[in-house]
């Protein structure tokens, strides 16, 4: 449902699979622009499935990284929110 929901802003999917989309995958702070709304999809424990990543990309979500460390779901969500908030200050 979230893939089809209206949203005025940039759409990102943060996932851990390096092999599938390393090309074009940006670090979230580098992908954001100040003053811009952002929606960041954070996957479940164990990450998104390959099909989920591809469906999100087809819906206009850009793959991003939250850094080199693998984060728990709740930590990844907080890291994303804080990153967007800091860029938009």
């Amino acid at each position: 449902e979230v893939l089809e929901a209206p949203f005025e802003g940039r759409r990102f999917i943060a996932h851990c699979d390096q092999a599938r989309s390393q090309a074009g995958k940006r670090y979230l702070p580098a992908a954001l622009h100040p003053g811009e709304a952002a929606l960041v999809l954070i996957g479940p424990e164990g990450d998104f499935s390959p099909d989920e990543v591809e469906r999100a990309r087809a819906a206009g979500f850009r793959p991003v990284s939250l850094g080199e460390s693998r984060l728990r779901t709740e930590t990844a969500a907080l890291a994303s929110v804080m990153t967007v908030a800091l860029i938009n200050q």
Side-chain angles (χ1 to χ4, degrees):
E1 293 175 6
V2 72
L3 298 181
E4 299 169 9
F7 179 74
E8 296 295 325
R10 308 258 323 266
R11 297 171 176 229
F12 301 102
I13 180 169
H15 65 90
C16 300
D17 188 346
Q18 298 296 322
R20 237 181 309 128
S21 66
Q22 190 60 24
K25 190 174 186 181
R26 298 183 68 193
Y27 183 46
L28 181 60
L32 294 170
H33 303 289
E36 188 171 58
L39 172 63
V40 182
L41 298 181
I42 303 294
E45 297 293 332
D47 208 8
F48 289 104
S49 71
D51 181 58
E52 290 170 328
V53 173
E54 291 310 313
R55 287 190 347 226
R57 290 184 64 156
F61 286 79
R62 302 280 187 187
V64 291
S65 168
L66 301 179
E68 294 187 23
S69 299
R70 183 175 283 242
L71 304 173
R72 293 182 56 90
T73 298
E74 55 275 357
T75 307
L78 289 173
S80 298
V81 168
M82 282 305 302
T83 298
V84 173
L86 289 170
I87 296 292
N88 283 330
Q89 273 197 345

